[in-house]
Amino acid sequence: MIKNSYSQLKQDVFVDRVLRQEKGFFIEAGCGDGHTLSNTLALEEIGWNGILIDIDRDSLEECLKSRDKNSIILKLDLSLVSLQDVLAAFNAPKIIDYLSIDIDDYSLAPLVGFPFEEYDVKVITFEHDQYRFGNQLKKPSRKFLKEKGFKLVCKNVGIETSSQEDWYVNPNLVPKKNWIDINPISIS
């Protein structure tokens, strides 16, 4: 169980409560400096590892200083490079425990381009930033993930009135008892 939460909306607590596992593999697209508002640092502290991706060089330099050397840190533009290529290049496991996508208005491209036919994902947090973009990212991401079999368990998660994210589970990989009563208020 995680000891500290670093994420803005308690995404790390959500993943920890839903998956209930000490080790796992994550992908955090939009990792920033790897510490401030990190969705995966708390998971890494309990034994997880994964791939951290951001486009900002300065943020990634900070990330290199603060993160576990078992995780891979990459400077990539995910509107130009596919996650499929990244996963293949780094021999990612076929089951991704947690996929976090938070790259503002470019978030849809890595989601839609994710190789779901080759990799299974247990939990996804997807930042749609409805408060900034309206339904531009929210509606297509919801439709896409529903078609892929994901269950939307927390929708429009945000601070006060700002609708920022949706949180999903793969009901084929996560026992229903772990997520049936989850909501952002119970996570705080």
Side-chain angles (χ1 to χ4, degrees):
M1 188 161 217
I2 64 171
K3 294 177 179 85
N4 301 303
S5 174
Y6 302 97
S7 59
Q8 181 180 25
L9 303 172
K10 304 291 186 197
Q11 295 93 327
D12 46 12
V13 176
F14 167 70
V15 172
D16 188 49
R17 288 198 184 158
V18 168
L19 293 182
R20 304 175 188 182
Q21 58 189 61
E22 293 178 16
K23 295 194 181 297
F25 187 85
F26 59 77
I27 299 166
E28 186 173 5
C31 67
D33 68 8
H35 188 273
T36 308
L37 306 179
S38 172
N39 290 349
T40 60
L41 178 58
L43 299 168
E44 196 175 78
E45 288 178 344
I46 63 168
W48 287 51
N49 70 324
I51 300 174
L52 300 157
I53 303 168
D54 208 286
I55 194 169
D56 183 73
R57 181 180 309 277
D58 294 335
S59 291
L60 288 173
E61 285 177 13
E62 290 302 312
C63 190
L64 284 166
K65 294 175 191 173
S66 67
R67 292 303 288 262
D68 190 313
K69 300 306 179 229
N70 291 325
S71 290
I72 298 160
I73 300 169
L74 302 172
K75 180 186 180 301
L76 290 175
D77 181 342
L78 288 175
S79 69
L80 303 174
V81 177
S82 76
L83 278 175
Q84 182 171 11
D85 291 342
V86 172
L87 297 174
F90 293 98
N91 296 316
K94 292 297 181 183
I95 296 179
I96 308 298
D97 297 293
Y98 174 40
L99 173 62
S100 169
I101 299 179
D102 176 1
I103 54 175
D104 300 325
D105 49 340
Y106 296 105
S107 292
L108 204 53
L111 178 67
V112 173
F114 190 88
F116 288 104
E117 64 284 347
E118 294 177 47
Y119 297 87
D120 287 317
V121 180
K122 291 182 181 178
V123 175
I124 298 173
T125 60
F126 181 83
E127 184 165 297
H128 56 63
D129 283 341
Q130 181 184 16
Y131 73 99
R132 288 173 48 196
F133 304 119
N135 289 326
Q136 177 183 338
L137 300 173
K138 183 174 84 169
K139 286 180 97 175
S141 63
R142 284 183 177 176
K143 181 178 186 295
F144 179 78
L145 288 169
K146 182 179 181 181
E147 289 170 358
K148 293 293 180 188
F150 285 87
K151 175 75 175 160
L152 176 58
V153 295
C154 297
K155 62 183 178 181
N156 300 323
V157 180
I159 298 171
E160 296 175 15
T161 60
S162 70
S163 174
Q164 292 173 261
E165 287 200 352
D166 288 336
W167 298 350
Y168 298 85
V169 298
N170 183 332
N172 297 318
L173 298 174
V174 181
K176 189 172 186 175
K177 65 182 172 70
N178 290 15
W179 54 266
I180 192 66
D181 292 323
I182 291 285
N183 65 64
I185 294 167
S186 71
I187 291 172
S188 303

